[in-house]
């Protein structure tokens, strides 16, 4: 077993022998081993100190970047957007260059009116049941706790306890309402209900199959036999379907051929994609869900809806340019605007 005995001192002075041993497979992990001559017993104690690998945890704060809409004036934003020389972006012949220029113009104006800020957070993704009322109540609870610790007054501690109970009740109510609404909205959608239940129960692992029923009705609990039963079932499932299925109405391909021939003259047809209009782009933007994640361009759906009265015009021009050139930028495929394409 490659064990090493580390005690090489007398541990029982009466018999002048070493009766207490310490075995290890890695002697380098033991930094200190002593046998102090203390105590009233005839055995001396053995003390060891083991080395542990220090895990360097990431102690850095979690920080998120967000747009601050607090002092936003929509009229001023749209006015600056209308003054922007969007047509200058279309001096390029390449769609990628045009898109990059439009992004630069838009981001400069957006950041001037909706500045980017940083905020330290406990976690990057907050639970879905967290709402503004809970956040405000948590802030009040923390302030009451600081005040109570500072004054150590009975009334302040009573206020803190009331604030704490209020936060607990709000969280319970919010969780209950959220999961009830989630289950109600996912009726007929087992996947959505199951995801809600997993969040509610905090299940990390799925349950294991403990037994399978054979065709004869007997139960099988052996893991290897259950695996063989599943393999046999899925390997032979095609054969079973073919044996059970009876083709009463075989597919008549002539019907499909006749239908296609009436739509296509000599199997050659021409078609063209109509140009996209500004109205269509605005309609698509308005129908976008604000819950969609921000794309690589950094433009969220909320911002896109704010700037759409002006930005929809150069965006429409860009989309039509892409259709004419039969080329779409990789940024458009990964950005919020990919819904339009």
């Amino acid at each position: 077993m490659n064990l090493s005995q580390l005690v090489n001192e007398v541990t029982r002075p009466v018999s002048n022998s070493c009766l207490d041993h310490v075995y290890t497979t890695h002697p380098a992990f033991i930094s200190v081993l002593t046998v102090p001559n203390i105590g009233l017993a005839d055995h001396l104690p053995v003390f060891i100190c083991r080395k542990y690998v220090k895990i360097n945890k990431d102690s850095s704060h979690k920080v998120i970047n967000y747009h601050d809409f607090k002092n936003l004036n929509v009229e001023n934003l749209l006015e600056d957007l209308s003054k922007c020389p969007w047509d200058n972006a279309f001096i390029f012949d390449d769609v990628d260059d045009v898109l990059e220029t439009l992004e630069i113009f838009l981001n400069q104006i957006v950041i001037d009116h909706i500045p980017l800020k940083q905020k330290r957070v406990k976690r990057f993704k907050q639970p879905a049941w967290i709402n503004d009322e809970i956040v405000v109540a948590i802030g009040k609870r923390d302030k009451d706790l600081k005040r109570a610790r500072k004054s150590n007054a009975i009334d302040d501690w009573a206020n803190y306890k009331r604030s704490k109970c209020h936060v607990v009740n709000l969280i319970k109510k919010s969780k209950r309402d959220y999961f009830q609404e989630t289950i109600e909205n996912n009726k007929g959608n087992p996947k959505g209900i199951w995801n809600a239940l997993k969040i509610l129960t905090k299940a990390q692992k799925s349950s294991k199959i403990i037994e399978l029923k054979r065709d004869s009705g007997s139960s099988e609990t052996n893991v290897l036999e259950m695996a063989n039963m599943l393999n046999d079932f899925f390997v032979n499932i095609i054969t079973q379907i073919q044996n059970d299925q009876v083709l009463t109405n075989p597919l008549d391909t002539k019907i499909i051929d006749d239908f296609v021939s009436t739509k296509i003259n000599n199997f050659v047809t021409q078609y063209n994609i109509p140009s996209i209009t500004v109205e269509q782009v605005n309609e698509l933007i308005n129908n976008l869900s604000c819950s969609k994640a921000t794309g690589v361009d950094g433009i969220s759906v909320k911002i896109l809806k704010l700037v759409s009265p002006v930005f929809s015009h150069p965006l429409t021009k860009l989309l039509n340019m892409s259709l004419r050139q039969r080329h779409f930028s990789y940024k458009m495929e990964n950005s919020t605007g990919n819904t339009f394409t």
Side-chain angles (χ1 to χ4, degrees):
M1 296 177 63
N2 196 24
L3 293 173
S4 300
Q5 205 285 109
L6 303 182
V7 181
N8 53 13
E9 300 181 32
V10 175
T11 60
R12 191 168 186 266
V14 175
S15 60
N16 197 26
S17 59
C18 179
L19 299 181
D20 302 281
H21 298 171
V22 174
Y23 292 93
T24 179
T25 56
H26 296 81
F29 288 175
I30 306 299
S31 60
V32 178
L33 190 149
T34 60
V35 184
N37 189 6
I38 58 176
L40 301 177
D42 58 350
H43 280 268
L44 299 180
V46 178
F47 292 92
I48 64 172
C49 182
R50 187 186 185 280
K51 293 180 181 178
Y52 285 91
V53 178
K54 185 178 180 181
I55 301 176
N56 294 323
K57 295 183 178 180
D58 185 11
S59 59
S60 59
H61 298 298
K62 296 178 181 178
V63 178
I64 60 172
N65 297 321
Y66 69 98
H67 285 279
D68 185 12
F69 291 82
K70 185 176 181 180
N71 299 318
L72 172 63
N73 188 315
V74 179
E75 293 182 358
N76 293 340
L77 171 63
L78 295 178
E79 182 180 355
D80 288 349
L81 287 171
S82 61
K83 295 178 181 178
C84 181
W86 301 106
D87 290 337
N88 291 350
F90 293 92
I91 61 175
F92 302 103
D93 296 329
D94 187 79
V95 173
D96 294 331
D97 295 334
V98 175
L99 177 59
E100 185 176 354
T101 307
L102 290 178
E103 284 184 357
I104 293 174
F105 288 166
L106 180 61
N107 282 319
Q108 286 177 346
I109 298 175
V110 167
I111 291 177
D112 289 341
H113 293 268
I114 314 174
L116 272 175
K117 291 190 176 182
Q118 285 189 342
K119 183 179 181 181
R120 198 176 76 184
V121 295
K122 186 176 181 180
R123 58 178 67 89
F124 287 120
K125 187 176 181 181
Q126 299 293 338
W129 45 264
I130 286 286
N131 54 40
D132 295 338
E133 186 179 6
I134 294 177
V135 174
V136 173
I138 290 175
K140 183 179 182 303
R141 178 203 62 186
D142 295 342
K143 289 181 180 179
D144 290 343
L145 177 60
K146 290 180 181 179
R147 187 182 299 110
R149 285 177 173 174
K150 185 176 181 180
S151 65
N152 203 23
I154 297 177
D155 293 340
D156 290 338
W157 280 111
N159 290 333
Y160 163 68
K161 290 180 180 179
R162 282 193 293 269
S163 299
K164 181 180 178 181
C165 293
H166 181 57
V167 170
V168 172
N169 292 331
L170 285 177
I171 291 176
K172 288 182 178 179
K173 181 179 181 301
S174 180
K175 284 184 177 180
R176 182 174 61 251
D177 295 343
Y178 168 74
F179 288 112
Q180 286 179 350
E181 182 181 359
T182 302
I183 294 174
E184 184 69 23
N185 294 337
N186 284 280
K187 284 185 176 179
N189 181 14
K191 184 178 180 180
I193 294 178
W194 182 245
N195 288 336
L197 292 177
K198 283 199 297 185
I199 297 174
L200 179 62
T201 58
K202 297 181 180 179
Q204 300 295 328
K205 296 182 179 179
S206 58
S207 58
K208 296 181 179 179
I209 299 175
I210 58 175
E211 69 172 0
L212 289 176
K213 292 287 186 180
R214 294 185 179 274
D215 294 337
S216 60
S218 60
S219 299
E220 181 60 61
T221 57
N222 183 273
V223 177
L224 182 59
E225 290 298 327
M226 288 193 296
N228 291 332
M229 290 172 60
L230 291 173
N231 289 335
D232 292 339
F233 174 79
F234 287 107
V235 167
N236 299 320
I237 191 170
I238 299 298
T239 305
Q240 295 175 7
I241 293 175
Q242 290 176 347
N243 294 335
D244 297 339
Q245 188 177 23
V246 179
L247 295 177
T248 56
N249 296 318
L251 179 63
D252 187 2
T253 58
K254 186 176 183 303
I255 299 176
I256 299 178
D257 294 338
D258 293 341
F259 175 78
V260 174
S261 62
T262 59
K263 301 297 180 181
I264 301 178
N265 185 18
N266 296 326
F267 296 97
V268 176
T269 186
Q270 295 181 353
Y271 69 95
N272 54 15
I273 300 177
S275 298
I276 300 174
T277 63
V278 176
E279 291 75 16
Q280 290 174 327
V281 172
N282 280 322
E283 182 180 358
L284 289 171
I285 292 176
N286 293 331
N287 291 333
L288 286 175
S289 173
C290 290
S291 61
K292 285 185 173 291
T294 302
V296 294
D297 53 7
I299 304 298
S300 65
V301 175
K302 183 177 181 180
I303 294 177
L304 191 60
K305 288 186 176 184
L306 287 173
V307 302
S308 63
V310 178
F311 186 66
S312 58
H313 294 272
L315 180 59
T316 303
K317 191 174 181 180
L318 173 64
L319 294 174
N320 288 322
M321 179 181 178
S322 298
L323 290 175
R324 289 194 303 270
Q325 296 185 5
R326 301 177 184 178
H327 170 69
F328 287 89
S329 172
Y330 71 95
K331 287 186 177 181
M332 295 177 67
E333 296 175 357
N334 297 321
S335 67
T336 305
N338 65 353
T339 308
F340 311 133
T341 60

